Amino acid sequence: MRPFRFGVALYVPGSRKEWVAKCRQAEDLGYDVVGVVDHLGRVAPVPALLLAAEATERLRLNTYVLNASFHNPVLLARDLAALDEFTGGRVEIGIGAGYVREEFEAAGIDWGTPGRRFRRLVDVVTELERAFTGRPRPPLLLGGRGDRMLTFAAAHADTISLTGTAPGAAEGRLALAGSAALAERADFVKRVLDGRDAEVNLMVHFVRITDDRRAALEEAHQLVPHLDVEELGELATVLAGSADGVAEQLLRTRETLGAGYFTVLEDDLTRLAPVIEKLH
């Protein structure tokens, strides 16, 4: 069984000093990976990761995740190869198909059909594999929730990321998949991997380390009203309770879903730290 890995997805723009401080804090708190999202109005992934590398010593650096439609495949492969070289091989490449229509429109990029967005992603992955021919390619993370995307990820990715979301998330709402739906997606990944070894990543959407677990779950319910408190208490993407209790939850999740690499959002950077300390 793979050891645990913990990542944080950073996205809030700020000064150089603020960005360096966040990255160093993540390293000091025991995180293994710093990721940068790829959304308009957020920090630019490649320069942000280069600065993160200069500010830290051991953190892996991940694009979590690049929107394939935003980038020319050839030019992106060039930039990521340079980033990997300049960071001493610490880069992990995460790529997705994009899901926020308003961002496509703001960037003047055709939204198209799901099939077309998927083909753009395939083009990027194909070019990356070509660009790194003859030398080690950085580990590749591909994620999503649909059959087509997860099947492609099972064939090409070193890490398969389960978003843990339901279709409503495409409209910008926090719509989490229920426990049964998430378990079905994890089982699907196991089937399409067909014995091939790959790491499974899970996006965690809510973290509260507290002795009042019920109050934390009620807070989560305000953000995710389509699931009741009891359902939220069963979700692997919602971590609420004492540090010991959440550590036990993550151990169960690794056993049941096969996920041992967990990524939290920047807002939860410090909240997960007591749990990381127990599981590393």
Side-chain angles (χ1 to χ4, degrees), residues 102-277:
E102 291 78 8
E103 291 188 348
F104 280 70
E105 294 172 349
I109 297 171
D110 179 39
W111 171 246
T113 64
R116 185 168 181 178
R117 293 193 297 280
F118 174 73
R119 287 191 294 274
R120 292 169 182 159
L121 180 140
V122 172
D123 289 344
V124 169
V125 172
T126 300
E127 180 56 33
L128 282 171
E129 291 177 340
R130 188 204 63 77
F132 284 94
T133 299
R135 58 173 166 159
R137 171 181 57 72
L140 178 64
L141 177 149
L142 297 172
R145 61 172 178 262
D147 288 2
R148 176 170 48 189
M149 184 67 214
L150 293 176
T151 299
F152 183 75
H156 294 269
D158 302 282
T159 300
I160 300 173
S161 183
L162 297 172
T163 64
T165 58
E171 287 78 47
R173 301 190 303 272
L174 181 55
L176 298 183
S179 291
L182 182 56
E184 187 277 328
R185 291 290 79 192
D187 287 342
F188 180 84
V189 166
K190 292 176 186 176
R191 291 198 304 274
V192 293
L193 278 170
D194 194 26
R196 189 175 81 84
D197 185 38
E199 181 181 44
V200 178
N201 168 257
L202 184 63
M203 185 74 207
V204 174
H205 295 271
F206 183 89
V207 181
R208 294 294 185 275
I209 305 304
T210 174
D211 292 330
D212 193 344
R213 185 169 187 264
R214 178 75 186 190
L217 291 174
E218 288 175 349
E219 180 186 350
H221 177 60
Q222 299 302 311
L223 300 173
V224 193
H226 66 284
L227 297 176
D228 62 34
V229 170
E230 286 68 28
E231 289 175 303
L232 289 168
E234 297 174 355
L235 276 186
T237 52
V238 172
L239 304 180
S242 67
D244 285 334
V246 170
E248 291 174 4
Q249 179 182 352
L250 293 180
L251 286 165
R252 290 194 301 272
T253 298
R254 186 171 65 172
E255 180 69 28
T256 58
L257 300 184
Y261 172 17
F262 298 90
T263 300
V264 300
L265 295 170
E266 181 172 338
D267 290 346
D268 292 323
L269 170 65
T270 59
R271 292 176 179 142
L272 194 65
V275 180
I276 295 175
E277 185 177 1

Side-chain angles (χ1 to χ4, degrees), residues 43-65:
V43 67
V46 171
L49 289 175
L50 186 59
L51 181 54
E54 292 183 4
T56 61
E57 295 181 358
R58 61 165 184 82
L59 284 176
R60 302 290 294 177
L61 310 158
N62 190 19
T63 56
Y64 195 84
V65 295

Side-chain angles (χ1 to χ4, degrees), residues 64-88:
Y64 195 84
V65 295
L66 293 173
N67 182 338
S69 294
F70 284 3
H71 304 277
N72 176 287
V74 175
L75 299 181
L76 178 62
R78 177 200 63 181
D79 290 352
L80 292 176
L83 180 64
D84 189 54
E85 176 68 26
F86 291 163
T87 61

